[in-house]
Amino acid sequence: MTSQSDAVRRFTEAWKRGDDDAINEITIEIHQGGHDADLIAISRVMATIPHGAK
């Protein structure tokens, strides 16, 4: 099992809170970082965790 990057962990927490501003900032950071694994990971977060779920 691979560990999540810090950006993916922060994205997941922001997604759970429904914090759209943080989600946007972290998404930009991940895109600019160019790490495909992080893009896949945040896609999985969006597919499996309801936005704003506590």
Side-chain angles (χ1 to χ4, degrees):
M1 181 176 177
T2 60
S3 61
Q4 287 184 339
S5 71
D6 178 59
V8 173
R9 280 192 296 277
R10 290 184 289 119
F11 180 90
T12 302
E13 291 305 313
W15 186 261
K16 288 178 182 178
R17 291 191 312 269
D19 185 346
D20 292 331
D21 290 334
I23 290 166
N24 291 338
E25 290 177 20
I26 298 164
T27 301
I28 291 167
E29 176 185 331
I30 289 171
H31 278 275
Q32 289 176 341
H35 300 288
D36 290 341
D38 285 349
L39 292 173
I40 293 167
I42 66 171
S43 296
R44 289 181 179 157
V45 168
M46 292 184 285
T48 59
I49 300 173
H51 184 253
K54 299 291 180 195

